[in-house]
Amino acid sequence: MFDPVALKKAKNQALKYLSYRERSKREITQYLEKKQHSHLVIQQTLEYLENLDYVDDQRFAMQWGQFNINKKKLGRNRLYLELLNKGIDRKILENIVSTLYENNPEIQLAKECASKKWESLKGVEANKKKRRLFQYLKRRGFPTDIIYQSLIKLDMEINNQTSSILDKS
């Protein structure tokens, strides 16, 4: 049975929820389910939001991915899982992730993460640092081959800086 009051309430709640940031369809659905709206009301609310172009999973995935790459320096694997958990369709997801990492090479992101983390590990034994860096980059979603390449580049940079500092003295 259709309830116009419940639909209006759901629309208002969804619009307020969207006012904070872009959301995926799944996020809005879960939010409205927590508010105990019926399946029919949730579907009608989603259609209303899509018609107004307030909900677009492809746009959401691109924005969410770009933010997480720029700010959190996440690897492909972790970003893929986060977007999958947000309810993004696999076809959209694979396209978005490929596009995002064309513009932001994973090796560069991993090296930036490793460099930043390296600074916080001062006073730790070299082998222990490398193990911690490896695990840190793995948790950030970088594949093993990218991690090794970035650690090699970082190691070369650190050795070059050390030798150039020693050459000056």
Side-chain angles (χ1 to χ4, degrees):
M1 189 156 142
F2 179 71
D3 183 4
V5 174
L7 180 60
K8 183 176 180 179
K9 184 177 180 183
K11 286 178 181 179
N12 287 334
Q13 288 173 332
L15 288 169
K16 184 176 180 183
Y17 189 56
L18 279 167
S19 70
Y20 300 111
R21 70 167 172 84
E22 186 95 20
R23 308 280 179 174
S24 69
K25 288 180 198 174
R26 179 185 283 172
E27 287 179 308
I28 294 169
T29 301
Q30 289 172 339
Y31 177 77
L32 292 175
E33 284 172 349
K34 282 184 200 173
K35 299 288 186 182
Q36 300 180 341
H37 290 288
S38 71
H39 181 69
L40 179 63
V41 168
I42 293 171
Q43 288 303 103
Q44 290 176 338
T45 302
L46 283 174
E47 287 174 18
Y48 169 77
L49 295 171
E50 286 176 327
N51 288 338
L52 293 174
D53 199 31
Y54 289 164
V55 176
D56 181 352
D57 277 354
Q58 188 161 350
R59 183 179 63 221
F60 167 78
M62 185 62 87
Q63 288 177 354
W64 183 265
Q66 194 65 53
F67 174 81
N68 281 292
I69 287 172
N70 291 337
K71 298 295 179 194
K72 295 182 180 179
K73 308 284 190 235
L74 295 185
R76 180 184 298 259
N77 298 339
R78 173 121 175 241
L79 183 64
Y80 187 90
L81 285 175
E82 282 194 8
L83 287 171
L84 194 61
N85 288 334
K86 298 268 183 208
I88 306 302
D89 183 66
R90 288 182 191 268
K91 290 177 186 174
I92 293 172
L93 189 56
E94 289 171 13
N95 183 29
I96 296 291
V97 169
S98 295
T99 302
L100 287 170
Y101 286 101
E102 280 176 14
N103 301 332
N104 302 287
E106 249 183 317
I107 184 76
Q108 183 62 33
L109 292 170
K111 194 178 120 346
E112 288 173 20
C113 276
S115 295
K116 188 174 180 181
K117 186 68 173 174
W118 183 267
E119 296 299 317
S120 72
L121 294 173
K122 289 194 189 279
V124 177
E125 176 191 333
N127 285 335
K128 207 173 197 179
K129 269 187 187 182
K130 288 180 183 176
R131 273 195 315 272
R132 286 185 182 177
L133 276 174
F134 182 88
Q135 292 302 320
Y136 174 74
L137 293 173
K138 196 72 175 161
R139 285 189 305 273
R140 306 257 330 137
F142 294 102
T144 305
D145 60 328
I146 297 286
I147 294 172
Y148 282 126
Q149 290 174 31
S150 65
L151 291 179
I152 289 169
K153 283 185 175 186
L154 179 63
D155 195 40
M156 287 172 41
E157 275 184 23
I158 290 168
N159 288 335
N160 286 341
Q161 288 175 355
T162 306
S163 63
S164 65
I165 292 169
L166 294 175
D167 292 341
K168 292 178 183 177
S169 15

